[in-house]
Amino acid sequence: MIKKVVRGFGVLSLALVPFAGPAPAQAVQAADVTTFADAVGLLPVAVESRDGYSRSSFKHWTSGDDPADGCNTRAEVLIAEAVVAPAVGAGCKLTGGTWFSYYDGQEVAGASGLDIDHMVPLAEAWDSGASGWTAARREAYANDQGAATSLVAVTARTNRQKADQDPAEWLPPAPDALCRYVGEWVATKLRWRLAADEAELRALSVFADGPCTDTVVAYTPAA
Protein backbone atom coordinates (compact mmCIF):
# COMPACT_ATOMS: atom_id res chain seq x y z
CA MET A 1 0.00 0.00 0.00
CA ILE A 2 1.24 3.51 -0.80
CA LYS A 3 1.88 5.67 2.23
CA LYS A 4 1.51 9.43 2.18
CA VAL A 5 4.68 11.47 2.36
CA VAL A 6 4.44 13.59 5.51
CA ARG A 7 5.46 17.25 5.37
CA GLY A 8 7.06 18.72 8.46
CA PHE A 9 5.97 17.62 11.92
CA GLY A 10 2.90 15.43 12.06
CA VAL A 11 0.94 13.13 14.28
CA LEU A 12 1.60 9.40 14.22
CA SER A 13 -0.01 6.56 16.08
CA LEU A 14 2.39 4.89 18.49
CA ALA A 15 5.43 7.06 17.77
CA LEU A 16 6.62 10.36 16.41
CA VAL A 17 9.72 10.16 14.24
CA PRO A 18 11.28 13.59 13.50
CA PHE A 19 13.17 14.15 10.28
CA ALA A 20 16.90 13.51 10.40
CA GLY A 21 19.44 16.09 9.36
CA PRO A 22 19.60 19.84 9.86
CA ALA A 23 16.32 21.74 9.87
CA PRO A 24 15.80 24.56 7.37
CA ALA A 25 16.29 28.04 8.75
CA GLN A 26 12.56 28.83 8.76
CA ALA A 27 11.75 25.69 10.78
CA VAL A 28 14.25 25.91 13.64
CA GLN A 29 11.54 26.42 16.28
CA ALA A 30 11.13 23.13 18.12
CA ALA A 31 7.73 21.49 18.13
CA ASP A 32 5.87 20.94 21.37
CA VAL A 33 5.43 17.18 21.76
CA THR A 34 2.93 15.56 24.12
CA THR A 35 0.58 12.62 24.48
CA PHE A 36 -2.82 12.82 22.86
CA ALA A 37 -4.59 12.85 26.22
CA ASP A 38 -2.45 15.73 27.47
CA ALA A 39 -2.92 17.58 24.17
CA VAL A 40 -6.70 17.32 24.52
CA GLY A 41 -6.35 18.68 28.03
CA LEU A 42 -4.56 21.76 26.68
CA LEU A 43 -7.51 22.79 24.51
CA PRO A 44 -9.42 25.78 25.88
CA VAL A 45 -13.15 25.10 26.12
CA ALA A 46 -15.59 27.69 24.83
CA VAL A 47 -19.06 28.02 23.38
CA GLU A 48 -18.84 28.30 19.60
CA SER A 49 -20.59 30.92 17.50
CA ARG A 50 -20.89 31.17 13.73
CA ASP A 51 -22.31 34.68 13.80
CA GLY A 52 -20.90 36.74 10.95
CA TYR A 53 -19.09 33.86 9.25
CA SER A 54 -18.33 34.02 5.54
CA ARG A 55 -15.94 31.73 3.69
CA SER A 56 -14.63 34.82 1.93
CA SER A 57 -13.25 35.99 5.29
CA PHE A 58 -10.43 33.46 4.74
CA LYS A 59 -8.58 34.43 1.55
CA HIS A 60 -7.32 31.32 -0.28
CA TRP A 61 -5.75 29.89 -2.35
CA THR A 62 -2.96 32.47 -2.51
CA SER A 63 0.38 32.38 -4.33
CA GLY A 64 1.72 29.85 -1.84
CA ASP A 65 4.99 29.62 0.02
CA ASP A 66 7.02 30.22 -3.14
CA PRO A 67 5.40 32.94 -5.27
CA ALA A 68 8.12 32.46 -7.89
CA ASP A 69 7.02 28.91 -8.73
CA GLY A 70 3.75 30.03 -10.32
CA CYS A 71 1.72 27.62 -8.17
CA ASN A 72 -0.96 28.52 -5.66
CA THR A 73 -1.25 26.97 -2.21
CA ARG A 74 -3.47 24.14 -3.41
CA ALA A 75 -1.00 23.11 -6.10
CA GLU A 76 1.98 23.36 -3.77
CA VAL A 77 0.27 21.06 -1.27
CA LEU A 78 -0.53 18.58 -4.03
CA ILE A 79 3.08 18.57 -5.20
CA ALA A 80 4.38 18.18 -1.64
CA GLU A 81 2.02 15.33 -0.75
CA ALA A 82 2.29 13.31 -3.95
CA VAL A 83 3.69 9.81 -3.51
CA VAL A 84 4.42 9.74 -7.24
CA ALA A 85 5.27 13.26 -8.38
CA PRO A 86 3.12 14.88 -11.06
CA ALA A 87 4.61 16.71 -14.01
CA VAL A 88 4.35 20.47 -13.50
CA GLY A 89 3.63 22.36 -16.69
CA ALA A 90 3.04 25.97 -17.70
CA GLY A 91 0.75 27.80 -15.32
CA CYS A 92 1.43 25.09 -12.73
CA LYS A 93 -0.79 22.60 -14.56
CA LEU A 94 -0.30 19.21 -12.89
CA THR A 95 -0.31 16.10 -15.03
CA GLY A 96 -0.17 12.56 -13.75
CA GLY A 97 0.95 11.85 -10.22
CA THR A 98 -0.42 9.60 -7.47
CA TRP A 99 -1.66 10.43 -3.99
CA PHE A 100 -2.82 8.49 -0.94
CA SER A 101 -5.98 9.78 0.72
CA TYR A 102 -5.61 8.59 4.29
CA TYR A 103 -9.19 9.47 5.32
CA ASP A 104 -10.54 6.58 3.28
CA GLY A 105 -7.38 4.64 2.42
CA GLN A 106 -7.71 5.32 -1.30
CA GLU A 107 -4.95 5.64 -3.86
CA VAL A 108 -5.79 8.46 -6.25
CA ALA A 109 -4.30 8.92 -9.73
CA GLY A 110 -4.48 12.49 -10.97
CA ALA A 111 -5.01 15.70 -9.03
CA SER A 112 -8.56 16.27 -10.26
CA GLY A 113 -9.92 13.63 -7.86
CA LEU A 114 -8.54 15.43 -4.82
CA ASP A 115 -9.54 18.28 -2.56
CA ILE A 116 -7.23 20.06 -0.17
CA ASP A 117 -8.94 19.80 3.19
CA HIS A 118 -8.43 22.32 5.96
CA MET A 119 -7.95 19.91 8.87
CA VAL A 120 -9.97 22.26 11.04
CA PRO A 121 -12.49 23.67 8.54
CA LEU A 122 -12.68 27.40 8.01
CA ALA A 123 -16.15 27.66 9.54
CA GLU A 124 -15.04 25.64 12.58
CA ALA A 125 -11.98 27.86 12.95
CA TRP A 126 -14.25 30.92 12.87
CA ASP A 127 -16.48 29.39 15.53
CA SER A 128 -13.46 28.54 17.70
CA GLY A 129 -11.71 31.89 17.80
CA ALA A 130 -10.79 33.03 14.27
CA SER A 131 -13.74 35.44 14.22
CA GLY A 132 -11.58 37.73 16.35
CA TRP A 133 -8.51 37.52 14.12
CA THR A 134 -7.25 40.04 11.60
CA ALA A 135 -7.86 39.35 7.92
CA ALA A 136 -4.12 38.71 7.51
CA ARG A 137 -4.11 36.02 10.20
CA ARG A 138 -7.15 34.31 8.69
CA GLU A 139 -5.37 34.32 5.32
CA ALA A 140 -2.28 32.79 6.93
CA TYR A 141 -4.46 30.10 8.50
CA ALA A 142 -6.25 29.25 5.26
CA ASN A 143 -2.93 28.80 3.43
CA ASP A 144 -0.85 27.28 6.24
CA GLN A 145 1.93 25.07 4.91
CA GLY A 146 4.04 25.50 8.02
CA ALA A 147 2.68 22.29 9.55
CA ALA A 148 1.89 18.98 7.91
CA THR A 149 -1.36 18.76 9.85
CA SER A 150 -3.00 21.94 8.55
CA LEU A 151 -3.77 21.06 4.92
CA VAL A 152 -4.18 17.55 3.56
CA ALA A 153 -4.91 16.15 0.11
CA VAL A 154 -7.85 13.73 0.31
CA THR A 155 -10.54 12.40 -2.00
CA ALA A 156 -13.11 15.01 -2.93
CA ARG A 157 -15.83 12.68 -1.69
CA THR A 158 -14.53 12.47 1.89
CA ASN A 159 -13.73 16.16 2.06
CA ARG A 160 -17.27 17.04 1.06
CA GLN A 161 -18.75 14.51 3.45
CA LYS A 162 -16.76 16.12 6.24
CA ALA A 163 -17.73 19.66 5.23
CA ASP A 164 -17.44 21.89 8.32
CA GLN A 165 -18.05 19.20 10.94
CA ASP A 166 -15.89 18.55 13.99
CA PRO A 167 -14.99 15.09 15.40
CA ALA A 168 -18.25 14.96 17.39
CA GLU A 169 -20.07 14.98 14.05
CA TRP A 170 -17.75 13.33 11.50
CA LEU A 171 -14.78 10.98 11.48
CA PRO A 172 -12.88 9.49 8.51
CA PRO A 173 -14.29 6.17 7.28
CA ALA A 174 -10.97 4.27 7.35
CA PRO A 175 -10.64 2.71 10.84
CA ASP A 176 -6.85 2.97 10.87
CA ALA A 177 -7.09 6.70 10.14
CA LEU A 178 -8.94 7.63 13.32
CA CYS A 179 -6.07 8.21 15.76
CA ARG A 180 -4.04 10.08 13.20
CA TYR A 181 -7.05 12.24 12.33
CA VAL A 182 -8.03 13.24 15.86
CA GLY A 183 -4.37 13.81 16.67
CA GLU A 184 -3.93 16.11 13.70
CA TRP A 185 -7.18 17.89 14.57
CA VAL A 186 -5.94 18.65 18.08
CA ALA A 187 -2.46 19.60 16.80
CA THR A 188 -4.01 22.14 14.43
CA LYS A 189 -6.21 23.65 17.12
CA LEU A 190 -3.24 23.98 19.46
CA ARG A 191 -1.05 25.43 16.71
CA TRP A 192 -3.58 28.19 16.09
CA ARG A 193 -4.81 28.53 19.68
CA LEU A 194 -8.37 27.57 18.80
CA ALA A 195 -10.93 26.42 21.36
CA ALA A 196 -13.15 23.34 21.48
CA ASP A 197 -16.78 23.16 22.54
CA GLU A 198 -18.10 20.65 25.07
CA ALA A 199 -19.39 18.11 22.52
CA GLU A 200 -16.13 18.20 20.60
CA LEU A 201 -14.10 17.76 23.76
CA ARG A 202 -16.20 14.75 24.83
CA ALA A 203 -15.69 13.12 21.45
CA LEU A 204 -11.93 13.65 21.59
CA SER A 205 -11.79 12.38 25.17
CA VAL A 206 -13.27 9.04 24.08
CA PHE A 207 -10.21 8.52 21.90
CA ALA A 208 -7.83 9.83 24.54
CA ASP A 209 -9.17 7.33 27.06
CA GLY A 210 -9.20 4.39 24.67
CA PRO A 211 -7.81 3.56 21.22
CA CYS A 212 -5.52 6.57 20.87
CA THR A 213 -3.74 6.40 24.23
CA ASP A 214 -0.38 5.91 22.48
CA THR A 215 -0.84 8.64 19.88
CA VAL A 216 1.76 11.39 20.11
CA VAL A 217 0.96 14.97 19.14
CA ALA A 218 3.54 17.49 17.90
CA TYR A 219 2.71 21.08 17.06
CA THR A 220 4.49 24.38 16.62
CA PRO A 221 2.42 27.43 17.65
CA ALA A 222 1.74 29.72 14.70
CA ALA A 223 3.34 33.12 14.81
Side-chain angles (χ1 to χ4, degrees), residues 150-174:
S150 297
L151 301 170
V152 56
V154 295
T155 56
R157 176 173 56 85
T158 53
N159 183 49
R160 292 164 198 182
Q161 286 174 348
K162 173 182 172 179
D164 58 8
Q165 300 176 94
D166 70 26
E169 303 161 316
W170 185 90
L171 290 166

Side-chain angles (χ1 to χ4, degrees), residues 23-108:
Q26 68 270 25
V28 294
Q29 183 179 359
D32 292 320
V33 181
T34 188
T35 65
F36 180 64
D38 285 348
V40 172
L42 291 172
L43 290 171
V45 183
V47 176
E48 295 182 355
S49 173
R50 197 155 298 184
D51 291 349
Y53 170 71
S54 170
R55 189 171 175 83
S56 63
S57 297
F58 294 81
K59 183 180 178 181
H60 68 291
W61 305 109
T62 62
S63 56
D65 282 358
D66 181 8
D69 67 7
C71 297
N72 65 13
T73 302
R74 169 186 159 81
E76 287 184 355
V77 173
L78 286 169
I79 293 166
E81 296 198 355
V83 293
V84 176
V88 183
C92 199
K93 181 178 180 179
L94 306 183
T95 305
T98 305
W99 288 262
F100 180 73
S101 167
Y102 90 83
Y103 287 6
D104 50 3
Q106 297 297 306
E107 180 181 324
V108 181

Side-chain angles (χ1 to χ4, degrees), residues 194-210:
L194 295 170
D197 64 18
E198 291 285 357
E200 179 186 347
L201 192 67
R202 285 194 300 271
L204 293 169
S205 295
V206 169
F207 290 96
D209 295 337

